[in-house]
Amino acid sequence: MEEKRKTFTSTEVKRRYNEKTYTIISASIPKEKAAAFKKRCAEKGIAQAQVIKKAIDQFLAE
């Protein structure tokens, strides 16, 4: 049986797609608040980005 070799093509394609489709938004948050946010997300099993996207959607719907 022939072993498939790993390539970086799919990673590169994903990176180009993400650069065309998405924008990174960053914010400076006090360390204590960021730690509490990360902990709460982990406890709830929710991705941090999911919380932020939901907040943006709610803000835009106002």
Side-chain angles (χ1 to χ4, degrees):
M1 184 168 157
E2 191 175 315
E3 187 176 324
K4 278 187 153 183
R5 65 186 181 106
K6 293 184 179 185
T7 67
F8 295 100
T9 304
S10 63
T11 302
E12 179 64 22
V13 169
K14 289 177 195 174
R15 185 190 63 75
R16 284 196 313 259
Y17 171 79
N18 286 339
E19 283 181 352
K20 282 193 315 189
T21 308
Y22 296 101
T23 298
I24 295 174
I25 298 175
S26 65
S28 296
I29 307 295
K31 290 184 180 206
E32 301 80 24
K33 188 173 282 192
F37 174 66
K38 289 178 181 185
K39 181 181 177 192
R40 184 67 180 253
C41 287
E43 290 170 353
K44 292 184 159 239
I46 300 171
Q48 295 171 36
Q50 182 180 347
V51 175
I52 295 166
K53 288 175 187 177
K54 183 177 179 182
I56 291 171
D57 289 342
Q58 288 174 343
F59 178 76
L60 293 175
E62 293 176 354

